[in-house]
Amino acid sequence: MDRPLPSYTLAPLPALRARRDTLARLASLTNSLRPYPFQADGAAKLCTRRAHLLGDDMGLGKTVQALLALPDRARAVVVCPASVEEHWRRETRRWRPDLEPLPASRSLWVWPEPGQVRVARWSM
């Protein structure tokens, strides 16, 4: 009595499916730019969680990962030291041409509209 073996289809877990979909979206967003594999993985991980802390050494692309993790037509406020304010705006234009980087003014605060990233300089 030989019975056929059952066949199983392996489907990715929801988190892995979301990560795969995110990586595909990242590839379409960045035009000819390609993030390093660890940056793409970090951005995908950021996308699958409600809250996450991204901590890497200097120069490993935390800015790129954070920008790539933003959804389409996102509203974002970046609070950063004055020394990297222009860096955030430049990297936003480079990696996310669909988002508009704008300075944030302390004297006249305006919340970002969909598709805008407000970059606020923080100084003590």
Side-chain angles (χ1 to χ4, degrees), residues 58-74:
M58 287 176 26
L60 291 180
K62 294 179 294 293
T63 303
V64 170
Q65 292 177 58
L67 287 169
L68 293 177
L70 291 174
D72 296 335
R73 303 283 300 150

Side-chain angles (χ1 to χ4, degrees), residues 44-106:
K45 187 178 281 189
L46 289 172
C47 291
T48 61
R49 296 207 160 71
R50 187 158 185 230
H52 198 80
L53 176 65
L54 175 63
D56 275 333
D57 287 331
M58 287 176 26
L60 291 180
K62 294 179 294 293
T63 303
V64 170
Q65 292 177 58
L67 287 169
L68 293 177
L70 291 174
D72 296 335
R73 303 283 300 150
R75 300 174 190 225
V77 176
V78 174
V79 180
C80 62
S83 61
V84 294
E85 179 185 13
E86 182 53 38
H87 170 75
W88 268 95
R89 287 199 294 242
R90 183 177 57 247
E91 292 299 295
T92 301
R93 285 188 294 272
R94 181 177 179 206
W95 288 94
R96 290 297 301 269
D98 60 316
L99 300 176
E100 180 184 12
L102 299 168
S105 169
R106 288 186 196 188

Side-chain angles (χ1 to χ4, degrees), residues 18-61:
R19 183 174 289 181
R20 183 193 62 213
D21 295 345
T22 302
L23 291 175
R25 183 181 68 80
L26 295 180
S28 69
L29 279 176
T30 57
N31 299 332
S32 62
L33 298 172
R34 292 287 177 251
Y36 289 110
F38 68 89
Q39 290 173 323
D41 190 48
K45 187 178 281 189
L46 289 172
C47 291
T48 61
R49 296 207 160 71
R50 187 158 185 230
H52 198 80
L53 176 65
L54 175 63
D56 275 333
D57 287 331
M58 287 176 26
L60 291 180

